[in-house]
Amino acid sequence: VLCFVIVTMGLRATAFLLQTYLILAAAMYFDLGEQEEKCIIEEIPEDMLVTGYFLLEPWDVKAFSHSPHLGVTVTIRDPNHEVVTTKRYGKFGKVTFTAHASGQHYLCFQTNSTRFSVFAKERLKLHLDVQMGEHAIDRNTDKTQDNMEILENSLSHLIDQMMYIIRQQEYQREKEETFREISEDTNSKVLWWAVVQTSILLSVGFWQMKRLKDFFIAKKLV
Amino acid sequence: VFRMYGSPRVLLQVLWAQLLCGWVLGSELTFELPDNAKQCFYEDIIIGTKCTLEFQVVTGGHYDVDCRLEDPDGTTLYKEMKKQYDSFTFTAAKNGTYKFCFSNEFSTFTHKTVYFDFQVGDDPPLFPNENRVTALTQMESACVSIHEALKSVIDYQTHFRLREAQGRSRAEDLNTRVAFWSIGEAIILLVVSISQVVLLRSFFSDKKTTTTRVGS
C-alpha cells in the first residue's frame, strides 16, 4: 500500500500522510461500537475551512484474528441539522468541508465495517484530530531551508493564526448580539406580561364584585 | 519498483526527531452527553510528560458533570462529582493508556454538552533546535513571543466563547420559561376567578329542585 501511495502522490504528500497517520495513532481516541454513531460538536463561523483526520482501529489489535474491512461513514450536519456531506471512507482518512452558515456543526462518525457478524460486540477505537483554518500547522519542516525561509514560514503561520483569531472574534460579536437580543426580549416579555396579569387581576376583580353584587341584589339577600 | 526522489534520509531524520520529541497533542472536543450516559476518552502517554485536562459544561441542566481520570493501572488520579468547570495538571508517572470519563448518570432527563481540552506535552518550538549553532536572532525571538502571545489569546478566546455560550443557553431557557409561565398564570387567573363566581352562585341556588351537596 505504501509503495502505491508514494508512486501516485509523490514523496512530500506521502510523508505528510505518514506523519498524520503517526500523529493520529498516538492521538486521543474514543470507543465506537459497531454501527454506533458518535458526534462531536464544533462551533464554526461562516466560510471557515475545517479539516478532520481520523483513524479507525480495532480495540484489541492482538485479539483480531482476521482483518475485516473497516470503514467509517462521516456525516456532517449544519446548525439547522441538515446534512452538509455524507461520505464513506476507509479506516484512515481526511474529511474537509467549508461551513456555509455560522453555528454549531455536528461531525458524526459511524462504523459500517463489513464481516463483523462473528464478533458482534466488538469495539473499535477512533482516533480523531480536527483542525480549523486554511493553513493547518505545517509540521513538515524541510532541513534544507535556510533561515530566511524558515522565518517566512513562521511569519505566514503567525498571520494565519491572527486571521483565525479575527474570524472567531467577528463570529463572537454576532453571537453576543443574539445573546443581547434574547435578554432584551426576556426583559420586555417580563414587563409586558406583568402589566397584562395585573390588568387581568384588576378587571376580573371588578367583574367579580359587580356580578356578585348584582346576584345578591337579585336574590334579595342584600 | 519505485523511485524515491528528494532526500529520503533527511525526511526520515525529521520524522524520527519528531517522534523522539514526545509528540505534542492537544485535543479539544465538544460533544453531547445524553442523560444517564458516560463517555470515555483514551490517550497513550509517555512517562514524564506533563499533561493538562480542562473541561467545562456548556449547556444543559445545572451545567455540571462528573469527571474521572485514571492512569494505566486503574488508579484514579482525579475524581470530581458535579463540577461545572475545572482544570487539572499532572505529570505522567507511567507509560500507557490514560483514560478520562465524563458521566451524566446522575441526571434523569437533561443531556449536557461538554467541552474538554487535553494537552499532552509542550508545543513544538517554532524554530527547530536540531541544527542550531547560534542563539535565536532578534527576529526569531520576536516571532516566538508573538506565537506564545497568540496562543494565549486563542486560549482566552475559547474560554470566553464557552462562557458566552453558557450565558446564552441560560438566557434562552429563561426566555421560554417566562413566556410559558406568564401565559399559564394568566389562564389560571381567569379560570380561578370565573369558577369562584360560579361556585358562589351555586351555593345560593334554589333548594327546591336540587339537594344541597356538601362539598368535601
Side-chain angles (χ1 to χ4, degrees):
Chain A
V1 170
L2 196 59
C3 308
F4 178 69
V5 166
I6 289 174
V7 162
T8 51
M9 288 174 32
L11 189 60
R12 194 167 273 271
T14 312
F16 182 64
L17 219 61
L18 184 64
Q19 270 189 329
T20 314
Y21 186 93
L22 289 170
I23 292 166
L24 269 187
M28 184 201 62
Y29 58 89
F30 54 94
D31 59 305
L32 202 64
E34 191 195 341
Q35 299 294 333
E36 195 184 346
E37 188 179 41
K38 285 209 174 145
C39 299
I40 64 162
I41 303 172
E42 287 286 345
E43 192 89 54
I44 305 170
E46 205 177 354
D47 293 333
M48 182 162 275
L49 181 75
V50 178
T51 317
Y53 299 93
F54 59 88
L55 166 66
L56 192 68
E57 277 181 347
W59 190 263
D60 199 357
V61 191
K62 294 169 274 292
F64 245 60
S65 53
H66 61 86
S67 57
H69 282 291
L70 298 173
V72 179
T73 308
V74 181
T75 311
I76 299 172
R77 292 205 171 86
D78 69 354
N80 300 325
H81 293 275
E82 284 169 20
V83 177
V84 173
T85 57
T86 246
K87 216 167 150 194
R88 273 187 67 160
Y89 293 87
K91 61 183 237 178
F92 166 61
K94 164 177 135 171
V95 57
T96 49
F97 74 99
T98 310
H100 293 295
S102 297
Q104 282 190 337
H105 290 70
Y106 303 86
L107 281 71
C108 299
F109 300 89
Q110 189 179 26
T111 57
N112 51 355
S113 315
T114 57
R115 287 190 258 159
F116 247 136
S117 50
V118 184
F119 300 92
K121 288 286 176 188
E122 263 318 314
R123 285 196 305 174
L124 301 165
K125 46 183 183 181
L126 181 69
H127 300 256
L128 192 58
D129 184 23
V130 177
Q131 286 168 9
M132 294 214 266
E134 273 85 20
H135 188 106
I137 297 174
D138 191 5
R139 304 177 203 263
N140 201 5
T141 52
D142 191 354
K143 287 307 175 83
T144 56
Q145 279 179 333
D146 63 344
N147 275 349
M148 202 40 104
E149 283 184 16
I150 295 178
L151 210 57
E152 280 176 13
N153 275 343
S154 308
L155 280 175
S156 69
H157 170 59
L158 288 175
I159 290 174
D160 288 325
Q161 259 188 319
M162 283 194 272
M163 300 314 299
Y164 169 75
I165 289 172
I166 289 173
R167 190 68 196 86
Q168 285 280 353
Q169 285 197 330
E170 282 171 7
Y171 180 43
Q172 199 59 34
R173 281 175 77 157
E174 288 168 27
K175 284 201 293 182
E176 199 269 337
E177 184 159 337
T178 314
F179 185 6
R180 212 166 0 104
E181 277 169 17
I182 292 173
S183 301
E184 280 176 13
D185 188 36
T186 308
N187 189 28
S188 59
K189 263 191 201 166
V190 164
L191 182 65
W192 162 243
W193 281 107
V195 164
V196 164
Q197 278 181 17
T198 312
S199 59
I200 287 178
L201 193 61
L202 285 172
S203 56
V204 164
F206 279 132
W207 174 81
Q208 272 185 333
M209 292 301 125
K210 187 167 174 305
R211 287 289 287 209
L212 284 175
K213 182 174 147 193
D214 291 343
F215 177 65
F216 286 143
I217 288 172
K219 289 282 178 182
K220 297 187 177 51
L221 294 166
V222 176
Chain B
V1 174
F2 59 92
R3 211 188 300 178
M4 284 177 99
Y5 36 91
S7 42
R9 193 169 53 87
V10 167
L11 193 63
L12 285 171
Q13 272 179 349
V14 168
L15 282 179
W16 187 241
Q18 285 170 341
L19 281 174
L20 282 179
C21 285
W23 191 247
V24 58
L25 291 153
S27 330
E28 58 165 39
L29 275 192
T30 314
F31 67 99
E32 190 163 320
L33 193 60
D35 48 309
N36 283 322
K38 179 169 144 174
Q39 177 68 41
C40 293
F41 297 87
Y42 309 81
E43 183 142 9
D44 300 321
I45 304 177
I46 303 169
I47 188 171
T49 326
K50 183 168 157 232
C51 312
T52 311
L53 171 68
E54 205 177 312
F55 67 93
Q56 186 171 350
V57 184
V58 184
T59 64
H62 289 291
Y63 305 89
D64 52 2
V65 75
D66 298 341
C67 177
R68 199 169 77 238
L69 174 65
E70 287 176 4
D71 71 353
D73 297 330
T75 324
T76 307
L77 294 172
Y78 168 82
K79 181 175 172 173
E80 284 286 343
M81 315 292 278
K82 296 197 182 180
K83 267 285 209 176
Q84 288 190 356
Y85 156 77
D86 207 1
S87 170
F88 176 66
T89 311
F90 67 99
T91 311
K94 295 170 204 153
N95 270 326
T97 308
Y98 283 72
K99 161 177 150 175
F100 55 101
C101 299
F102 297 98
S103 162
N104 195 23
E105 280 151 348
F106 56 85
S107 170
T108 39
F109 55 86
T110 44
H111 43 237
K112 313 247 162 90
T113 314
V114 179
Y115 160 88
F116 72 87
D117 182 12
F118 192 56
Q119 285 289 131
V120 176
D122 295 317
D123 284 329
L126 206 57
F127 299 100
N129 290 327
E130 285 90 21
N131 59 348
R132 188 147 291 283
V133 281
T134 57
L136 293 173
T137 64
Q138 249 189 336
M139 197 126 82
E140 285 168 349
S141 38
C143 274
V144 168
S145 31
I146 293 176
H147 181 63
E148 295 297 318
L150 285 179
K151 274 202 307 200
S152 58
V153 168
I154 290 179
D155 197 33
Y156 291 147
Q157 204 175 40
T158 309
H159 281 292
F160 181 62
R161 169 175 67 85
L162 292 171
R163 290 258 177 249
E164 188 269 341
Q166 204 179 33
R168 193 158 30 93
S169 166
R170 277 198 212 257
E172 279 168 7
D173 281 346
L174 192 64
N175 198 20
T176 47
R177 259 185 241 163
V178 161
F180 179 62
W181 282 111
S182 299
I183 294 173
E185 265 191 57
I187 291 173
I188 289 175
L189 202 58
L190 281 171
V191 165
V192 164
S193 38
I194 291 173
S195 57
Q196 269 180 343
V197 172
V198 167
L199 199 62
L200 274 174
R201 282 164 69 120
S202 72
F203 283 154
F204 294 95
S205 62
D206 292 335
K207 295 195 178 79
K208 285 190 295 201
T209 48
T210 58
T211 53
T212 43
R213 290 168 199 261
V214 180
S216 58

